[in-house]
């Protein structure tokens, strides 16, 4: 994915930067909303211009919220805008739901360039369209220079549960197979590569992506054979697996050699002494699938959007309950634990 | 990855393990000096794969672990000054001082930055003339050239707002300290490959002669480590005491002369306190007199109260290989990577943290009995 260009012309604004007045609720706020947001995201619910959105819901719904504070706000493979949409869309999808609507809240530090804000808005729009979700409510606040860091975004997503979904950690059984949907550790290392003091010869791109269409197809076809779905963001794959092992009092065994990772990402991890299994992902999911269906699930996933590099990395076992064991590349074993503290701060 | 995958080849690993099994006839205590080697042994599951007669003792070669409490307090004190930006390698941030860690100080408003190179700190000093930039210069001989270069570079640029808080330690005196401790019964050493990449092998011949002990300069990948251990066990089994080089693809007899020259231009040897061990004579570097204005210790009037270590922590015995992490009553209980009582639990290269993170496979029975 390349950084979006400003091919959609920015509305004529009187200011080059966001000022405190743009968050005052007065004239400037209205102008900002009218000219930059309402037009771009126009849909019948948003066009009502209420403080909240009125939506139809039948049956169970999934509901998730997330705040995005990534630094820098533009990074290889994406920006804070598409990250904020993908992150919440994926959280709703991981519940076994089909995300439909999102809210969009900005906390902007005064001084943010209008052109940067517009670029973020465009990529939010682009990602919402691609993921098939609508922005139906939102908010904009502006804080003094130095009291924020350019822009923070909160998104909340809502979606109806897929009728065939039965995603519960309690459904995880001994014998289930563990499948990851693609290369691990790309997002965290992409952010790391643009932090001060580091530069790599090859560019590493974030994997930020909406996974809802892929998840929906898999739920259509595999239904209750999918026991658990998780997106391993902060804390990485390791943290997801550790949680499963602890909560279910089952063991997890994974094979280091089966874990898909891009060559340049692996090299960067080696160089910086980071374990890729603890590095964040933003367009990846871990699926725990019944033993019977695991092979066909993997085969199907590899044909779907963002799933071509999927791999089966291990299984759930009854031995060593509560522990995740990794069979190392050379045939040794080690225990994986949850991450203590942050390996890399502010990556999403 | 070229030059990496070859050294993680499972077939070679298997061959070395088999050969070790064939030649080992009795119990041997071997110390890997370097924390990077400890980390690799545990991370790759090598300890479990090796013959039970070979006991690996994890040495004091983790700079984060041996940096004295008082110096960490100094770094925190400096970071808390309004006009100071304290720069450090990431690992030092979680190390607890006597009251808090640099990370806690950062949360309270101190300006602390994680950098991967001291030269970045010099750049920061140039770009931020209104602030004092202090680099927390920890490490063994490996990081010394870059830290020395940062001072030389700052001096050339005429920067007045750059200094380093030095905590440099040296490997050979640490080996001596271990050998002189009557309680440690180490029979052979794996010397740290990267330290020798800089310093070469010359300093190790006198140790071999004086203590009649085999030393093998060893790398960090699984195949490196097993080959190093095999070379050492062959010596032990045949009664030889020699200095050998397993890591010959990187380590030269004379090391890296340019790097050594850079070190000696900026640093001189001094006595150094090691956390958990005490003061070891001539075991560290400090800046030479002509670079004194770049020495944060001399540049700033640092206020410091009494410092005292946790009473239950047995870090010293662990660093000298007298005890294993699991022999500590606080291991995994009062002392965890989240709440470390002592330094070896802090850094991922510390022996306690390495054990905590990577070993301890429980069987179904031991969980059931809890």
């Amino acid at each position: 994915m390349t950084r979006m260009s400003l091919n959609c012309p920015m509305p004529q604004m009187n200011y080059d930067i966001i000022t405190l007045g743009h968050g005052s609720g007065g004239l400037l706020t209205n102008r900002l909303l009218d000219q930059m947001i309402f037009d771009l995201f126009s849909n019948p619910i948003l066009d009502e211009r209420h403080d909240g959105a009125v939506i139809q819901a039948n049956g169970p719904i999934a509901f998730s919220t997330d705040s995005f504070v990534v630094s820098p706000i533009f990074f290889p493979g994406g920006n804070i805008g598409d990250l904020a949409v993908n992150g919440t869309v994926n959280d709703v999808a991981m519940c076994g739901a089909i995300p439909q609507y999102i809210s969009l809240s900005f906390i902007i530090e005064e001084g943010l360039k209008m052109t940067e804000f517009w670029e973020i808005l465009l990529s939010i729009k682009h990602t919402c369209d691609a993921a098939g979700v609508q922005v139906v409510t939102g908010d904009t606040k502006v804080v003094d220079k130095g009291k924020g860091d350019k822009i923070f975004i909160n998104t909340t997503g809502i979606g109806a549960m897929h009728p065939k979904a039965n995603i519960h950690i309690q459904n995880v059984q001994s014998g289930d197979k563990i499948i990851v949907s693609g290369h691990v550790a790309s997002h965290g290392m992409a952010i790391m590569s643009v932090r001060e003091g580091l530069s790599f010869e090859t560019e590493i791109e974030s994997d930020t992506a909406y996974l809802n269409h892929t998840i929906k197809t898999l739920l259509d076809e595999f239904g209750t054979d999918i026991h658990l779905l998780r997106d391993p963001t902060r804390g990485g794959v390791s943290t997801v697996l550790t949680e499963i092992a602890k909560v279910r009092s089952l063991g997890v065994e994974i094979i280091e050699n089966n874990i898909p990772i891009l060559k340049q990402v692996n090299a960067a991890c080696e160089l910086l002494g980071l374990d890729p299994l603890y590095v964040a992902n933003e367009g990846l999911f871990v699926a725990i699938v019944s033993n019977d269906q695991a092979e066909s699930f993997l085969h199907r996933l590899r044909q779907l959007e963002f799933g071509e590099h999927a791999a089966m990395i291990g299984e759930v076992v009854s031995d060593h309950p509560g522990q995740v064991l990794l069979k190392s590349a050379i045939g040794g074993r080690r225990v994986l634990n949850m991450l203590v503290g942050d390996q890399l701060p502010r990556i999403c | 990855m070229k030059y990496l995958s070859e050294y993680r080849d499972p077939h070679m690993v298997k061959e070395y393990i088999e050969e070790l099994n064939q030649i080992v006839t009795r119990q041997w205590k071997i110390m890997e000096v370097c924390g990077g080697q400890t980390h690799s042994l545990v991370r790759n599951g090598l300890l479990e794969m090796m013959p039970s007669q070979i006991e690996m003792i994890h040495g004091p070669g983790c700079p984060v672990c041996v940096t004295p409490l008082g110096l960490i307090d100094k770094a925190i004190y400096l970071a808390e000054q309004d006009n100071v930006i304290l720069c450090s390698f990431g690992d030092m941030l979680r190390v607890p001082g006597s009251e808090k860690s640099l990370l806690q100080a950062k949360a309270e408003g101190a300006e602390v930055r994680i950098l991967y190179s001291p030269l970045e700190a010099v750049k920061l000093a140039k770009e931020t003339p209104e602030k004092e930039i202090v680099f927390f210069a920890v490490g063994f001989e490996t990081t010394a050239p870059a830290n020395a270069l940062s001072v030389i570079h700052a001096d050339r640029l005429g920067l007045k707002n750059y200094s380093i808080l030095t905590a440099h330690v040296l490997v050979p005196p640490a080996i001596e300290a271990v050998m002189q401790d009557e309680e440690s019964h180490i029979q052979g050493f794996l010397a740290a490959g990267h330290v020798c990449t800089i310093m070469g092998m010359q300093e190790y011949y006198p140790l071999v002669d004086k203590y009649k002990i085999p030393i093998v300069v060893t790398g960090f990948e699984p195949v490196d480590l097993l080959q190093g251990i095999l070379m050492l066990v062959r010596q032990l089994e045949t009664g030889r005491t020699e200095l050998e080089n397993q890591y010959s693809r990187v380590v030269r007899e004379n090391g890296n002369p340019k790097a050594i020259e850079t070190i000696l231009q900026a640093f001189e040897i001094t006595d150094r306190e090691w956390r958990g061990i005490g003061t070891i004579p001539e075991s560290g570097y400090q800046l030479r007199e002509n670079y004194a204005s770049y020495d944060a210790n001399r540049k700033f009037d640092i206020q410091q109260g009494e410092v005292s270590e946790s009473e239950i922590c047995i870090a010293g015995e662990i660093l000298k290989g007298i005890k294993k992490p699991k022999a500590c009553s606080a291991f995994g209980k009062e002392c965890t990577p989240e709440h470390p009582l002592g330094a070896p639990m802090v850094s991922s290269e510390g022996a306690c943290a390495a054990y905590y993170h990577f070993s301890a496979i429980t069987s179904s029975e031991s969980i059931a009995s809890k």
Side-chain angles (χ1 to χ4, degrees):
Chain A
M1 223 184 290
T2 51
R3 184 167 163 179
M4 247 183 115
S5 62
L6 294 175
N7 51 11
C8 183
M10 186 170 83
Q12 204 58 42
M13 302 295 288
N14 293 331
Y15 291 82
D16 293 339
I17 55 166
I18 299 278
T19 65
L20 280 178
H22 287 111
S24 67
L27 187 68
L28 282 183
T29 310
N30 262 288
R31 205 176 283 161
L32 184 81
L33 294 177
D34 280 341
Q35 296 181 351
M36 294 183 89
I37 296 182
F38 281 118
D39 266 4
L40 188 63
F41 294 102
S42 173
N43 62 61
I45 302 172
L46 186 71
D47 293 348
E48 290 282 331
R49 304 186 68 151
H50 283 307
D51 281 344
V54 180
I55 54 175
Q56 299 293 328
N58 301 309
I61 55 167
F63 178 44
S64 177
T65 189
D66 210 341
S67 296
F68 297 83
V69 298
V70 65
S71 167
I73 57 176
F74 294 95
F75 48 83
N79 65 49
I80 191 168
D82 46 45
L83 193 71
V85 177
N86 289 332
T88 288
V89 160
N90 293 346
D91 283 348
V92 173
M94 294 307 134
C95 301
I98 299 156
Q100 291 156 286
Y101 305 113
I102 66 167
S103 72
L104 183 61
S105 260
F106 298 107
I107 297 174
I108 307 174
E109 182 189 27
E110 70 174 324
L112 178 72
K113 285 192 192 119
M114 252 344 151
T115 50
E116 289 189 335
F117 186 49
W118 182 242
E119 190 170 348
I120 290 167
L121 287 174
L122 281 182
S123 70
I124 291 174
K125 169 65 177 164
H126 178 79
T127 311
C128 283
D129 288 349
V133 296
Q134 291 184 326
V135 174
V136 289
T137 183
D139 184 44
T140 306
K141 296 279 191 317
V142 180
V143 297
D144 299 276
K145 185 99 193 150
K147 299 291 161 93
D149 193 357
K150 292 189 172 177
I151 184 168
F152 298 148
I153 304 179
N154 172 274
T155 51
T156 297
I158 206 164
M161 287 299 293
H162 190 290
K164 288 187 178 173
N166 184 16
I167 309 289
H168 292 290
I169 200 164
Q170 296 306 332
N171 293 346
V172 173
Q173 307 293 330
S174 168
D176 285 356
K177 294 290 188 282
I178 300 162
I179 290 163
V180 292
S181 64
H183 295 125
V184 305
S186 299
H187 177 73
M189 296 319 291
I191 300 295
M192 199 67 186
S193 72
V194 286
R195 283 280 169 85
E196 64 183 333
L198 286 175
S199 52
F200 300 124
E201 280 172 20
T202 42
E203 190 167 270
I204 296 175
E205 291 203 340
S206 165
D207 63 345
T208 178
Y210 48 87
L211 301 166
N212 53 325
H213 301 318
T214 300
I215 295 288
K216 181 181 175 297
T217 308
L218 292 168
L219 283 167
D220 287 343
E221 295 176 23
F222 296 93
T224 53
D225 279 308
I226 305 171
H227 293 168
L228 191 68
L229 294 167
R230 283 286 156 90
D231 59 335
T233 52
R234 282 170 303 166
V237 172
S238 210
T239 303
V240 166
L241 299 180
T242 313
E243 189 192 340
I244 294 169
K246 293 243 185 308
V247 171
R248 289 292 292 130
S249 285
L250 287 166
V252 168
E253 275 181 16
I254 57 171
I255 298 165
E256 192 167 36
N257 281 344
N258 290 6
I259 297 165
I261 181 164
L262 286 167
K263 218 164 58 176
Q264 63 269 37
V265 173
N266 197 24
C269 285
E270 285 288 344
L271 198 67
L272 300 177
L274 299 173
D275 187 334
L277 288 173
Y278 291 94
V279 177
N281 310 279
E282 289 291 343
L284 185 79
F285 66 87
V286 176
I288 313 290
V289 183
S290 72
N291 185 23
D292 294 349
Q293 289 298 313
E295 282 294 342
S296 14
F297 179 97
L298 179 62
H299 180 73
R300 184 71 179 110
L301 172 55
R302 283 180 175 158
Q303 300 166 338
L304 298 174
E305 197 177 19
F306 308 119
E308 60 172 316
H309 302 292
M312 196 178 295
I313 61 164
E315 63 180 338
V316 180
V317 296
S318 52
D319 201 17
H320 53 81
Q323 285 189 326
V324 181
L325 235 61
L326 174 132
K327 195 165 175 217
S328 75
I330 57 152
R333 297 190 303 168
R334 74 172 200 257
V335 175
L336 295 180
N337 285 299
M338 279 203 194
L339 187 60
V340 178
D342 248 348
Q343 225 180 354
L344 317 159
R346 285 189 47 205
I347 45 175
C348 60
Chain B
M1 224 178 300
K2 191 79 182 138
Y3 304 120
L4 203 53
S5 51
E6 298 91 324
Y7 299 95
R8 294 179 186 173
D9 176 11
H11 301 292
M12 288 194 72
V13 166
K14 202 165 158 239
E15 276 176 32
Y16 283 132
I17 299 270
E18 274 169 17
E19 192 172 345
L20 271 173
N21 272 316
Q22 279 163 16
I23 64 165
V24 71
T25 60
R26 49 163 287 199
Q27 211 69 27
W28 297 110
K29 279 181 194 281
I30 297 171
M31 175 175 276
E32 83 278 3
V33 177
C34 174
Q37 292 169 334
T38 307
H39 188 81
S40 182
L41 283 173
V42 185
R43 185 175 198 267
N44 290 294
L46 284 173
L47 294 175
E48 234 190 27
M49 299 167 81
M50 281 193 296
S52 59
Q53 294 99 316
I54 298 170
E55 186 184 352
M56 297 306 295
I57 312 272
H58 316 304
C62 159
V64 174
C65 302
V66 298
T67 301
L69 204 51
L71 205 63
I72 295 164
D73 286 351
K74 276 186 190 175
I76 292 167
Y77 173 84
L78 284 173
E80 286 174 337
Q81 305 309 304
D82 284 341
N83 63 333
V84 172
I85 302 176
L86 188 103
C87 305
S88 168
F89 296 128
D91 261 9
M92 285 309 292
L93 263 63
R94 286 198 304 117
V95 187
S98 46
E99 278 173 22
K100 57 184 141 189
S101 64
L102 277 168
L103 208 57
Q104 284 164 299
K106 182 171 184 276
E108 290 168 15
E111 198 158 353
V112 180
R113 302 227 185 140
I114 300 176
L115 298 182
Y116 276 84
S117 159
L119 294 175
E120 286 296 321
V122 176
K123 197 168 143 228
L124 184 66
K126 200 177 160 203
E127 289 163 0
T128 328
E130 71 280 9
K131 294 267 191 182
E132 283 289 338
I133 310 300
V134 181
F135 189 78
F136 199 5
V138 301
F140 279 86
E141 293 91 327
T142 341
T143 52
N147 289 338
L149 196 61
S150 80
V151 167
I152 295 166
H153 196 55
D155 189 44
R156 263 188 221 139
L157 293 170
L159 295 177
K160 302 282 176 228
N161 62 330
Y162 179 71
S163 58
I164 63 174
L165 187 62
T166 321
H168 268 295
V169 280
L170 307 174
V171 167
I175 291 182
E176 288 231 65
V178 169
M179 287 313 296
Q180 284 168 3
D181 194 302
E182 284 170 5
E183 282 183 79
S184 77
H185 301 285
I186 308 297
Q187 293 159 301
F189 285 94
L190 300 184
H194 289 158
V195 168
C196 295
T197 306
I198 306 291
M199 302 305 291
M201 300 181 45
Q202 304 290 339
E203 302 171 298
Y204 296 83
Y205 292 106
L207 293 172
V208 168
D209 288 343
K210 183 171 172 189
Y211 297 102
K212 303 279 174 279
I213 191 159
I215 299 179
V216 178
V217 177
T218 302
F220 300 82
E221 295 303 323
V223 169
D224 286 320
L225 282 161
L226 285 173
Q227 196 181 31
I229 291 166
L230 186 62
M231 287 164 79
L232 202 60
V233 172
R234 277 193 199 127
Q235 287 203 45
L236 290 166
E237 289 285 346
T238 53
R240 286 182 293 131
T241 53
E242 293 166 18
L243 178 65
E244 292 181 308
N245 184 6
Q246 178 278 328
Y247 207 32
S248 56
R249 70 182 183 278
V250 182
V251 175
R252 303 278 169 273
E253 184 71 29
N254 294 319
N256 178 339
K258 182 76 197 160
I260 295 173
E261 190 189 315
T262 306
I263 294 174
L264 295 179
Q265 186 183 335
F267 290 124
E268 61 192 1
I269 287 174
T270 183
D271 297 349
R272 172 80 59 206
E273 184 195 340
W274 295 54
R275 188 173 190 177
I277 295 177
T279 300
I280 304 178
E282 301 190 344
S283 68
Y285 287 134
Q286 69 176 5
L287 281 172
R288 288 183 184 277
E289 199 52 44
N290 50 332
Y291 289 109
S293 62
Y294 294 95
D295 186 341
N297 246 325
R298 286 179 264 187
K299 183 174 187 176
F300 299 98
D301 176 28
I302 301 173
Q303 310 292 324
Q304 205 166 26
E306 281 285 298
V307 290
S308 60
E309 294 277 0
S310 152
E311 279 172 15
I312 28 176
C313 176
I314 56 164
E317 287 164 292
I318 287 171
L319 293 172
K320 281 191 280 191
I322 296 165
K323 284 189 177 158
K324 290 263 183 168
K326 284 179 196 162
C328 175
S329 65
F331 179 81
K333 298 181 190 113
E334 295 96 321
C335 185
T336 62
E338 210 175 341
H339 295 288
L341 289 184
M345 189 55 104
V346 176
S347 163
S348 63
E349 295 188 356
C352 297
Y355 264 75
Y356 185 89
H357 281 302
F358 294 131
S359 57
I361 298 167
T362 54
S363 65
S364 323
E365 299 80 54
S366 68
I367 287 275
S369 67
K370 271 184 187 167

